[in-house]
């Protein structure tokens, strides 16, 4: 094959450091940026192959999300804007790790195994975050695509969900929206304005939202969008990237993990605040209560607000459409209980990682999925969307039904169904709170989170831990699950689990209990069990102070 001559030749300009092995993890490849040039070139090759195979446009996003600014990473986006299918994650790992001489053989194997017709055209959309390394890494991706005769469209600086959206628009021939930034801003802001028309007498205070942009791409894009929102949302933007460092002491991950406000944000009591992560696919809300205590509203609370609102609107519209919520083991026990017992919605639990939640949510009429850390969106089945849109058109429908159906239709338009999207989720939350006339305090008190703690344990090989039941139970190493069960019994309302991280070289420990001391104590004791039974390295875990 003629193309391979060029691949061999060009790949020498993107050499692989010897002995470096990487894995396509929970969210693509991620490591220090200086080790990624060859990976980017090769992901360009793979994206071209995936495009030929699917006869569709494929996306390649250069970002390391909430990681430090020195890191970078890459994720592949499949035709409907979802994460690339698991079999191809395997190909991605093979390609990234092939030594220079073996690259063409690995490429040929993929082409043969998947029976890819090389005469097909290839189209790849490329986007990047604000990291200094992202620009040159993007060039490496484009080099890879063109080596296999593919065509790239470089969107430059975009949030991860914006690129997912572009891919979905292109492959639905613009039915989903127009594949431009302007198209994205117009579609979302139109739906937002439509929805907020239903919130009467909103004051400027109620329209005000403090946003922590994590010094990243989300801040830039929110600024671009502001004019489209016609003052229906009045954003006070902090950590906008003009001086601070990306993700440093700010952003959704920092706020969630440390359960503390980001640096650089000036919060008055009761003011509604939110944080994006470094590529704006995660969002977390929070506020300081009147006693000055920091209160976090995480992905679970977001899923609760959204599913509750959708359910009520469906009832008002007289539509018999099922709403389900998909969570992971990290969902707070109180959230799961509230959804099941009070709201009576179907709740299902999947493994960690957006792709698992997204996949599970596709099984329902309306699948609301959120990780506790704020990754998430809502998926509407074709049939559910059709019923809602038909009711909007139906001139005989009575006023209340029609109004509810219109609200549902605008909510569909406001949600980025391709993937979790901080900007889109923020607008959905703002609109729903406004329509309900609900304050952040009111939303917060729907249920009270059980105190919880997450810890990390270093072990020689995290793959020695094997889990089952959506990562809630350990199968290997022997004895670890028994040890956890015994420890959990010592605490009230307690739950704990451990799993190997898919993005970092650590084992994660999660514990919750009726008090913070309990959650901390249990998390510590479970960490010790992991350390002793799963080959801990370095210092033994210490109790939390
Ligand atoms: C406990 C936790 O927050 N895990 C995160 C983290 O995955 P780990 O596999 O736990 O490292 O990064 C993923 C990608 O961003 C995200 O989907 C997930 O929720
Ligand atoms: Mg992210």
């Amino acid at each position: 094959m003629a193309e391979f001559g060029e691949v061999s030749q060009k790949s020498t300009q993107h050499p692989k450091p010897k002995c470096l092995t990487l894995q396509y993890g929970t969210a693509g490849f991620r490591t220090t940026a200086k080790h990624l040039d060859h990976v980017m070139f090769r992901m360009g090759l793979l994206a071209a192959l995936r495009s030929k195979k699917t006869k569709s446009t494929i996306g390649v996003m250069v970002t390391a999300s909430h990681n430090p600014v020195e890191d970078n990473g890459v994720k592949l986006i499949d035709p409907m804007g979802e994460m690339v299918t698991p079999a191809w994650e395997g190909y991605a790992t093979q390609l990234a790790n092939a030594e220079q001489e073996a690259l063409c053989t690995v490429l040929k194997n993929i082409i043969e195994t998947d029976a890819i017709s090389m005469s097909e055209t290839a189209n790849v959309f490329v986007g990047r975050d604000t990291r200094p390394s992202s620009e040159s890494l993007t060039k490496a991706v484009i080099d890879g695509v063109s080596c296999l005769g593919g065509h790239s469209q470089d969107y430059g600086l975009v949030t991860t969900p914006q690129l997912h959206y572009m891919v979905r628009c292109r492959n639905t021939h613009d039915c989903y929206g127009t594949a431009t930034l302007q198209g994205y801003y117009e579609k979302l802001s139109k739906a937002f304005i439509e929805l907020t028309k239903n919130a009467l007498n909103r004051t400027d205070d109620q329209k005000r939202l403090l946003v922590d942009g994590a010094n990243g791409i989300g801040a830039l894009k929110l600024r671009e969008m502001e004019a489209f929102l016609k003052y229906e949302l009045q954003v006070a933007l902090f950590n906008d990237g003009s001086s601070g460092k990306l993700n440093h002491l700010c952003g959704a991950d920092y706020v969630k993990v440390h359960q503390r406000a980001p640096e650089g944000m000036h919060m008055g009591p009761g003011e509604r605040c939110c944080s994006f992560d470094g590529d704006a696919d995660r969002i977390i809300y929070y506020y300081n209560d009147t006693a000055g205590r920091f209160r976090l509203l995480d992905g679970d609370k977001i899923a609760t607000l959204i599913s509750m609102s959708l359910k009520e609107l469906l009832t008002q519209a007289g539509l018999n459409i099922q709403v389900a919520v998909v969570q992971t083991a990290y969902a707070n026990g109180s959230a799961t209980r509230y959804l099941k017992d009070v709201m009576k919605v179907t709740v299902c639990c999947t493994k960690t990682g957006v792709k698992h939640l997204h996949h599970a949510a596709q099984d329902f009429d309306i699948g609301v999925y959120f990780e506790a850390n704020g990754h998430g969106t809502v998926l509407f089945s074709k049939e559910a969307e059709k019923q809602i849109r038909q009711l909007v058109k139906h001139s005989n429908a009575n006023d209340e039904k029609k109004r509810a159906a219109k609200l549902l239709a605008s909510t569909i338009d406001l949600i980025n169904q391709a993937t979790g999207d901080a900007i889109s989720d923020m607008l959905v939350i703002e609109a729903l709170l406004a329509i309900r006339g609900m304050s952040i305090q009111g939303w917060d008190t729907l249920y009270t989170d059980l105190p919880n703690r997450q810890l990390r344990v270093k072990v020689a090989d995290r793959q020695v831990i094997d889990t089952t039941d959506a990562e809630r139970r350990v199968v290997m190493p022997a004895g670890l699950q028994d040890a956890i069960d015994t420890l959990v019994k010592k605490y009230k309302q307690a739950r704990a689990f451990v799993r190997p991280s898919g993005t970092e070289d650590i084992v994660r420990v999660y514990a919750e209990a009726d008090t913070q001391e309990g959650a901390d104590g249990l998390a510590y004791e479970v960490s010790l069990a992991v350390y002793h039974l799963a080959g801990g390295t370095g210092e033994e875990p210490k109790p939390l102070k």
Side-chain angles (χ1 to χ4, degrees), residues 341-413:
D341 300 348
V342 181
M343 281 178 48
K344 312 256 182 253
V345 297
T346 307
V347 179
C348 86
C349 182
T350 69
K351 288 186 187 176
T352 303
V354 174
K355 62 183 173 212
H356 300 296
L357 290 106
H358 190 95
H359 186 72
Q362 286 171 328
D363 285 347
F364 302 99
D365 298 339
I366 300 181
V368 179
Y369 75 82
F370 272 88
E371 291 192 307
N373 63 22
H375 269 134
T377 187
V378 185
L379 305 184
F380 294 84
S381 71
K382 276 208 178 89
E383 184 53 34
E385 182 168 346
K386 196 170 119 200
Q387 283 188 37
I388 291 166
R389 297 216 191 266
Q390 264 173 0
L391 191 59
V392 174
K393 280 196 213 136
H394 205 293
S395 54
N396 290 331
N398 75 28
D399 282 351
E400 195 209 352
K401 283 191 174 163
K402 192 159 181 151
R403 174 182 179 271
K406 272 184 169 173
L407 288 173
L408 285 164
S410 297
T411 309
I412 295 177
D413 291 336

Side-chain angles (χ1 to χ4, degrees), residues 26-27 30 66 330 352-354 371 373 375 454 499 501-504 508:
T26 319
R30 254 185 229 184
H66 64 270
Y330 291 98
T352 303
V354 174
E371 291 192 307
N373 63 22
H375 269 134
Q454 266 194 58
R499 54 174 281 278
S501 160
T503 59
E504 294 177 71
R508 290 193 202 281

Side-chain angles (χ1 to χ4, degrees), residues 185 221-237:
Y185 295 137
K221 298 294 139 176
L222 185 55
R223 267 263 139 88
E224 274 177 24
M225 187 175 196
E226 261 184 303
F228 292 84
L229 295 170
K230 306 250 180 344
Y231 301 104
E232 284 304 318
L233 184 68
Q234 298 178 13
V235 171
L237 188 55

Side-chain angles (χ1 to χ4, degrees), residues 1-2 10 59 68 82 86-87 90 93 130 154 161 298 304 341 353 355 363 367 423 429 444 460 473-474 497:
M1 294 181 210
K10 269 274 166 93
E82 69 280 40
T93 303
T130 54
D154 183 4
D298 63 2
T304 306
D341 300 348
K355 62 183 173 212
D363 285 347
I423 293 181
I429 294 163
D444 188 27
R473 296 190 65 78
V474 173
F497 66 92

Side-chain angles (χ1 to χ4, degrees), residues 206-249:
Q206 285 163 337
K207 293 180 187 175
R208 181 175 153 84
L209 175 68
L210 279 61
V211 182
D212 156 27
N215 289 317
I217 184 69
L220 249 63
K221 298 294 139 176
L222 185 55
R223 267 263 139 88
E224 274 177 24
M225 187 175 196
E226 261 184 303
F228 292 84
L229 295 170
K230 306 250 180 344
Y231 301 104
E232 284 304 318
L233 184 68
Q234 298 178 13
V235 171
L237 188 55
F238 298 87
N239 300 321
D240 65 353
S242 54
S243 56
K245 199 168 155 187
L246 176 70
N247 296 326
H248 182 61
L249 306 176

